[in-house]
Amino acid sequence: VGFTLMDSSWNLKFEITDFVDNSQNPLLIFKAGKEEVYLPLNADYIRSIHKKEKMITAELPEGLLPDDLDLSTRSQLNDGGGV
């Protein structure tokens, strides 16, 4: 919480709203549009973590983001889009 998630494929930014500390499968939670999205915190998706900048760069898997999310703006602030 307090970090920004940046998708490396679409160059979208999202505010991380929560973290589920499950030892088997920790999750980052962020809002994309009006939906809450759960991203497993593992090496398959996470590309880098920059603690000083509070930025996590990830390659979001296809189909994770809601179908109705407007990807055309590419830099939305948590107005129902990303950060």
Side-chain angles (χ1 to χ4, degrees):
V1 181
F3 275 67
T4 298
L5 175 69
M6 177 146 150
D7 173 53
S8 60
S9 299
W10 289 96
N11 200 29
L12 291 170
K13 294 180 182 179
F14 303 95
E15 178 183 355
I16 297 172
T17 58
D18 207 352
F19 172 73
V20 177
D21 190 9
N22 178 337
S23 62
Q24 300 261 328
N25 189 24
L27 299 169
L28 295 176
I29 303 172
F30 63 94
K31 292 277 279 193
K34 296 177 183 175
E35 296 193 31
E36 204 169 57
V37 180
Y38 295 77
L39 176 68
L41 186 59
N42 66 47
D44 291 338
Y45 307 120
I46 304 301
R47 298 295 170 245
S48 63
I49 299 174
H50 301 279
K51 291 181 183 179
K52 188 175 181 180
E53 295 86 7
K54 294 191 170 195
M55 175 76 69
I56 297 173
T57 303
E59 188 172 327
L60 301 180
E62 191 171 327
L64 184 71
L65 297 176
D67 291 336
D68 62 347
L69 184 65
D70 180 10
L71 299 177
S72 64
T73 60
R74 303 276 168 106
S75 112
Q76 305 164 9
L77 245 159
N78 205 12
D79 59 353
V83 168

